[in-house]
Amino acid sequence: MLLKVKSTRVNNSILVTRPNHDFPTTYLYFWSELVIDEAKNKDITVLDLDGKKANKQKFVSYISRNNPRLIFLNGHGSKDSVAGYDNEVLLDEGNCGALLQEKIIYARSCEAGAKLGSFSIEKGAATFIGYNKDFWLIRSKERGTKPLTDPIAKLFLEPSNLVPITLIKGNSAQEAYQKSQDDMRRNFSYMISSKASQEERDAAFFLFSNYTCQVILGNKQAKI
Amino acid sequence: MDKSEEDKKLQEYIKELVIARINALSKDLELSVGGENITREQIVESVKKGNELGQEIIEMQLKFLRDVAEGKIYQSE
């Protein structure tokens, strides 16, 4: 099926998908709120597909009607798709060409940087930042009900939030990627140091994996 | 022992090493990958089977240990 997307110019609004159907997505849901706050502080319009609103019908219609410059995806992913609420596929090779023209995409999900990312660029997206292997999130058992107070998750989600936050501040995609990489490296150095707790040391390997697998594709100078 | 046997033994040794590291993870941690929970047992099983996730973890563990040992992370600070 061909998707018809209105030919309105891309604007500096951002679209965020943040399902919350289980613990891991709930963490991403809460941590994405910090990005939304930052955008609102900068008077950037936020199209917030939160919870059950992170479904394919709304995803397609919001992009078609509003043409946001930045699309920030949270949720389950694979080499050729990214999902929303209850793992419904929102974006795949069938619709990315029509939906992602001139857009900057950040997919905080597994593997989408491996194939969907380069496919999206071929089809006209400006930039794709994501992970070409698994995106790991390690959480503290104790803080499950309060994701924003979880000191272990913070080591993973603060650096990943820096991608959209740096873009929102008017910097280029390359600067956003680099800031995120630098922050992961800083956290990683701390986590393998003697100052770290046992839990932080144990989680270090998984942050290293995210650091190694984060990729930027397409136009590195793109800005919102 | 011929080379293929040596390689096989080395692979097994690496698998055991990675499994030991996974099993030693603090029980106070919850793991999730790409928005889905995963248990230590599932990771260990993947490493034993050598499926895509297992292979990825083995490769990443080796790179991790190598980079830490060589101080690469610190160098780039």
Side-chain angles (χ1 to χ4, degrees):
Chain A
M1 187 181 78
L2 281 174
L3 281 168
K4 283 191 178 171
V5 177
K6 273 169 70 179
S7 59
T8 49
R9 282 173 60 84
V10 285
N11 56 63
N12 75 346
S13 63
I14 70 169
L15 181 134
V16 183
T17 66
R18 45 181 191 131
N20 58 353
H21 52 275
D22 53 24
F23 265 120
T25 51
T26 298
Y27 263 66
L28 301 182
Y29 173 96
F30 279 105
W31 279 84
S32 297
E33 231 158 50
L34 305 181
V35 175
I36 291 169
D37 290 345
E38 189 68 38
K40 286 179 178 168
N41 286 340
K42 297 275 176 195
D43 288 327
I44 291 174
T45 304
V46 179
L47 308 161
D48 184 13
L49 296 186
D50 59 330
K52 288 183 180 173
K53 276 162 64 184
N55 62 59
K56 189 166 187 173
Q57 187 264 325
K58 284 209 187 299
F59 180 69
V60 171
S61 80
Y62 271 57
I63 294 178
S64 306
R65 265 191 277 144
N66 300 286
N67 222 3
R69 173 67 161 160
L70 172 63
I71 297 180
F72 174 30
L73 304 160
N74 293 277
H76 183 65
S78 68
K79 288 187 176 73
D80 44 27
S81 69
V82 179
Y85 193 81
D86 265 348
N87 297 333
E88 180 187 9
V89 171
L90 302 181
L91 186 69
D92 58 20
E93 292 183 354
N95 65 3
C96 72
L99 292 175
L100 303 183
Q101 293 297 313
E102 297 176 54
K103 293 177 178 59
I104 302 169
I105 302 104
Y106 175 45
R108 183 153 61 183
S109 60
C110 283
E111 295 186 340
K115 204 167 152 217
L116 183 66
S118 50
F119 191 81
S120 301
I121 299 299
E122 274 172 34
K123 293 289 175 185
T127 316
F128 192 104
I129 300 175
Y131 302 84
N132 62 15
K133 289 188 176 161
D134 289 318
F135 176 80
W136 289 92
L137 171 60
I138 310 303
R139 297 167 285 130
S140 163
K141 230 175 210 169
E142 285 175 7
R143 307 293 177 98
T145 54
K146 289 181 180 167
L148 291 173
T149 67
D150 186 329
I152 305 294
K154 183 181 179 181
L155 295 162
F156 288 74
L157 295 175
E158 238 174 26
S160 67
N161 267 1
L162 274 178
V163 173
I165 286 175
T166 306
L167 284 163
I168 285 164
K169 287 180 174 171
N171 298 291
S172 70
Q174 175 62 31
E175 286 165 321
Y177 170 79
Q178 198 54 53
K179 270 191 187 287
S180 178
Q181 285 272 300
D182 291 346
D183 204 37
M184 276 193 274
R185 202 166 54 221
R186 212 168 9 251
N187 284 355
F188 178 77
S189 294
Y190 160 72
M191 290 160 87
I192 57 172
S193 75
S194 55
K195 291 179 206 153
S197 68
Q198 184 61 49
E199 287 74 28
E200 288 167 337
R201 270 198 293 277
D202 283 353
F205 158 70
F206 298 99
L207 184 67
F208 175 80
S209 181
N210 289 354
Y211 168 76
T212 308
C213 300
Q214 192 185 44
V215 292
I216 176 168
L217 307 165
N219 178 5
K220 294 176 179 169
Q221 299 315 314
K223 293 181 179 183
I224 66 172
Chain B
M1 199 184 326
D2 65 24
K3 194 169 181 322
S4 68
E5 252 181 82
E6 260 180 46
D7 284 352
K8 211 175 160 189
K9 271 204 157 182
L10 183 64
Q11 281 298 318
E12 284 308 309
Y13 174 73
I14 291 168
K15 271 188 185 181
E16 279 172 29
L17 180 75
V18 171
I19 288 168
R21 286 180 62 86
I22 300 294
N23 281 329
L25 290 175
S26 163
K27 301 286 183 260
D28 291 329
L29 296 177
E30 300 270 20
L31 318 175
S32 57
V33 60
E36 287 186 348
N37 278 327
I38 187 163
T39 63
R40 288 158 189 73
E41 293 71 27
Q42 285 171 311
I43 299 176
V44 167
E45 204 49 39
S46 292
V47 172
K48 279 182 184 165
K49 283 183 184 161
N51 63 20
E52 196 177 345
L53 177 65
Q55 283 299 326
E56 186 187 312
I57 286 173
I58 291 169
E59 279 169 30
M60 207 54 76
Q61 280 278 359
L62 291 176
K63 185 167 167 44
F64 171 76
L65 294 171
R66 213 167 26 234
D67 282 11
V68 170
E70 290 173 5
K72 280 190 181 169
I73 292 289
Y74 296 110
Q75 279 169 20
S76 48
E77 265 292 298

